[in-house]
Amino acid sequence: MGRKWGVLAAVGVVAALAGCGGGDGSGTDTAAPPSTGQITDPGPFFGQCGSVTDDEVSKAFGMPSFTGVTRNSVGCEWETAGIGGPSVTFSWYRGSPIGRERAGSELIGRPATDIDVRGHPGFIASSEGILCELGVEFGGDFIHWSVMYADVQPAADPCKVARDLAELSVSRAK
């Protein structure tokens, strides 16, 4: 039993030391963050929920009243029937490449198409007419709208809803 704990402790120490090394053998720890390959200026300010109101989301989505609205510093989610039910989500990614989000969509079977929203490049991807996601790039930042009708009959084209909400956000960016 003592040997087992000794081996586990040694593995832990090695792992901790491996994460602390300077990497150049000079004995000084420069601890620079990994390079993303490009430093960009921050994009515009979008305000809470992409500067779109609950009423505007509800009108575009066309579903019954929301049973839950979650707001935090980087996004909002409007739900009509709890987690997994119909919902609309807004996210604001600062200093994050839009290509990663696009690639993730494509990896799970939603091929992305290039779009332009008020002069800003982006992508749109959908699944079976019940889900659509749309991202709009602003240099090193991007915003993302996702519209999901889940297992209910869509009240509107989810990509039209996502596009309309993205247009509102982009038009109100400061």
Side-chain angles (χ1 to χ4, degrees), residues 31-50:
S35 173
T36 60
Q38 181 180 14
I39 297 175
T40 61
D41 290 329
F45 178 75
F46 287 96
Q48 186 177 51
C49 301

Side-chain angles (χ1 to χ4, degrees), residues 12-70:
V13 169
V14 169
L17 290 175
C20 295
D24 65 359
S26 68
T28 60
D29 187 4
T30 56
S35 173
T36 60
Q38 181 180 14
I39 297 175
T40 61
D41 290 329
F45 178 75
F46 287 96
Q48 186 177 51
C49 301
S51 297
V52 177
T53 68
D54 294 351
D55 287 341
E56 290 169 324
V57 174
S58 181
K59 182 178 177 185
F61 194 49
M63 294 293 291
S65 298
F66 297 114
T67 58
V69 178
T70 304

Side-chain angles (χ1 to χ4, degrees), residues 81-163:
I83 296 173
S87 65
V88 177
T89 305
F90 168 81
S91 300
W92 179 13
Y93 296 87
R94 308 237 3 157
S96 181
I98 193 172
R100 187 177 329 169
E101 189 73 22
R102 179 184 183 132
S105 178
E106 291 180 344
L107 279 172
I108 57 174
R110 293 192 298 260
T113 303
D114 290 336
I115 61 166
D116 181 277
V117 177
R118 296 184 173 244
H120 298 278
F123 76 91
I124 193 164
S126 64
S127 177
E128 303 173 20
I130 60 168
L131 178 133
C132 188
E133 62 179 317
L134 183 149
V136 184
E137 182 176 17
F138 298 86
D141 299 349
F142 74 96
I143 61 169
H144 184 264
W145 280 97
S146 178
V147 177
M148 180 181 69
Y149 284 99
D151 59 355
V152 301
Q153 179 67 35
D157 175 350
C159 287
K160 180 176 180 349
V161 174
R163 178 77 186 223

